[in-house]
């Protein structure tokens, strides 16, 4: 049985992490210090008790603002998570996110102690696995997501119906076939929806308008940020805020694994 946690580490490094992405989903729990997280154009300031959720292929960078900067970070097997949480909305904090989603959530006492305790138990089980370790890791990971859901349900997508559920199904199909050439016209035929309506439904839900001639599409970027009372955020520069999403073609370097999912930014001229 595969473990849902593919990597789990503790780090005290204060070196900046330049723009990069992972093939798996990722969580970062800040224990001490403060860092600035830039995720797909959204900027957050995370201190002790901040938990950051990153989807696979989601570009991000980290700049340490206050030391010592101590944190846990773990990567999650996306396919295993989908199998484990297919009957719940818990995985939506990584994929198919709702409007107003925030990558960085900050917790206050006593919420922070509960989150810290669950993550530390996860780390201990991962580092020194015992009997039925795979099941224990799944159980603790699900408990952690449930706890986060109870604190900030607005960061999770609830059961959808109608056009919204169809768009989510299309998005899931795109994620599963991101290495293939996918056109809007092909998606429209497969899901019995007009290309025009498909593009506008994507725009209404995620502020993304996929190009009808592109080979792939972007993981949705929310059009606004949900801000829990205990969180602070840093605003992104205004000249990088307005975007007309486009979709990149194949990797520019042979043999490289690059994010085929990107958003072209049209900068303001003001």
């Amino acid at each position: 049985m595969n473990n849902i946690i593919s990597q789990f580490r503790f780090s005290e490094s204060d070196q900046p992490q330049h723009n990069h992405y992972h093939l798996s989903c990722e969580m970062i729990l800040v224990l001490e210090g403060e860092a600035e997280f830039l995720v797909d154009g959204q900027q957050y300031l995370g201190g002790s008790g901040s938990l950051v959720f990153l989807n696979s292929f989601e570009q991000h960078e980290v700049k340490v603002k206050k030391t010592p900067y101590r944190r846990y970070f773990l990567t999650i097997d996306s396919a295993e998570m989908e199998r484990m949480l297919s009957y719940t909305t818990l995985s939506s904090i990584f994929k198919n996110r709702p409007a107003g989603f925030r990558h960085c959530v900050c917790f206050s006492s006593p919420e922070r102690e509960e989150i810290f305790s669950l993550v530390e138990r996860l780390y201990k089980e991962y580092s020194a696995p015992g009997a039925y370790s795979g099941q224990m890791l799944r159980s603790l990971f699900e408990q952690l997501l449930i706890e986060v859901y109870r604190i900030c349900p607005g960061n999770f997508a609830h059961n959808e119906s109608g056009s919204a559920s169809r768009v989510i199904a299309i998005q899931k199909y795109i994620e599963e076939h991101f290495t293939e050439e996918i056109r809007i016209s092909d998606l429209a035929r497969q899901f019995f929806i007009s290309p025009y309506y498909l593009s506008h439904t994507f725009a209404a839900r995620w502020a993304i308008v996929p190009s009808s001639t592109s080979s792939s599409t972007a993981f949705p970027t929310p059009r606004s940020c949900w801000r829990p009372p205990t969180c602070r955020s840093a605003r992104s520069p205004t000249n990088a805020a307005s975007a007309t999403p486009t979709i990149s073609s194949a990797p520019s370097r042979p043999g490289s694994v690059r994010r085929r999912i990107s958003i072209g930014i049209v900068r303001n001229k003001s």
Side-chain angles (χ1 to χ4, degrees):
M1 184 179 292
N2 296 329
N3 286 336
I4 192 168
I5 308 298
S6 54
Q7 186 182 44
F8 204 147
R9 292 184 181 178
F10 168 80
S11 177
E12 295 181 289
S13 171
D14 58 2
Q15 296 301 309
Q17 297 178 357
H18 300 291
N19 200 23
H20 65 288
Y21 65 89
H22 303 281
L23 301 180
S24 303
C25 297
E26 183 182 15
M27 288 172 54
I28 303 170
L29 175 64
V30 180
L31 301 173
E32 187 179 357
E34 191 172 75
E36 179 184 275
F37 298 89
L38 182 62
V39 188
D40 273 346
Q42 297 292 340
Q43 211 166 15
Y44 308 93
L45 194 61
S48 178
S50 298
L51 190 56
V52 181
F53 296 88
L54 301 167
N55 196 2
S56 52
F57 298 99
E58 196 158 46
Q59 295 183 1
H60 58 281
E61 59 182 286
V62 184
K63 298 178 182 178
V64 177
K65 295 296 184 180
K66 183 180 179 181
T67 57
Y69 175 51
R70 303 171 60 246
R71 73 277 189 192
Y72 285 120
F73 66 91
L74 60 153
T75 56
I76 299 107
D77 186 300
S78 301
E80 193 65 26
M81 181 177 65
E82 287 289 335
R83 286 191 291 269
M84 171 184 161
L85 302 175
S86 60
Y87 59 93
T88 74
T89 64
L90 295 176
S91 63
S92 66
I93 200 165
F94 294 102
K95 300 186 176 188
N96 298 323
R97 293 149 167 171
F101 170 82
R102 279 187 61 85
H103 296 85
C104 180
V105 180
C106 306
F107 303 99
S108 58
S109 298
E111 300 163 349
R112 183 183 308 178
E113 283 71 23
E114 183 65 26
I115 297 296
F116 279 10
S117 174
L118 284 169
V119 173
E120 286 170 357
R121 289 179 64 192
L122 263 172
Y123 182 69
K124 181 179 179 181
E125 185 64 37
Y126 178 87
S127 303
Y132 298 100
S133 183
Q135 288 89 333
M136 179 63 78
L137 287 172
R138 285 171 171 77
S139 175
L140 291 170
F141 179 71
E142 188 168 20
Q143 287 182 57
L144 177 60
L145 292 184
I146 291 172
E147 191 66 30
V148 174
Y149 178 88
R150 290 177 174 179
I151 297 168
C152 51
N155 242 22
F156 295 79
H158 298 278
N159 292 332
E160 304 280 3
S161 60
S163 62
S165 63
R166 185 178 296 182
V167 171
I168 289 176
I170 294 171
Q171 179 65 24
K172 185 174 182 180
Y173 176 87
I174 292 169
E175 293 179 3
E176 292 172 350
H177 298 82
F178 76 95
T179 59
E180 304 172 13
E181 182 174 337
I182 303 174
R183 296 179 181 272
I184 297 301
S185 56
D186 297 333
L187 290 173
R189 282 193 297 271
Q190 180 165 340
F191 289 90
F192 305 101
I193 186 172
S194 75
Y196 176 85
Y197 185 74
L198 173 58
S199 296
H200 280 261
T201 306
F202 261 86
R205 182 175 179 83
W206 288 306
I208 277 185
V209 185
S211 168
S212 61
T213 59
S214 300
S215 61
S216 185
T217 192
F219 290 165
T221 299
R223 57 181 173 180
S224 59
C225 291
W226 173 75
R227 183 176 183 179
T230 57
C231 273
R232 290 184 292 158
S233 65
R235 296 181 63 85
S236 302
T238 56
N239 65 348
S242 57
T244 301
T246 59
I247 300 156
S248 65
S249 56
S252 58
R253 299 190 305 273
S256 65
V257 180
R258 290 193 58 188
R259 187 181 187 228
R260 295 170 175 82
I261 302 155
S262 63
I263 302 174
I265 302 297
V266 179
R267 297 186 180 275
N268 294 332
K269 297 182 180 180
S270 58

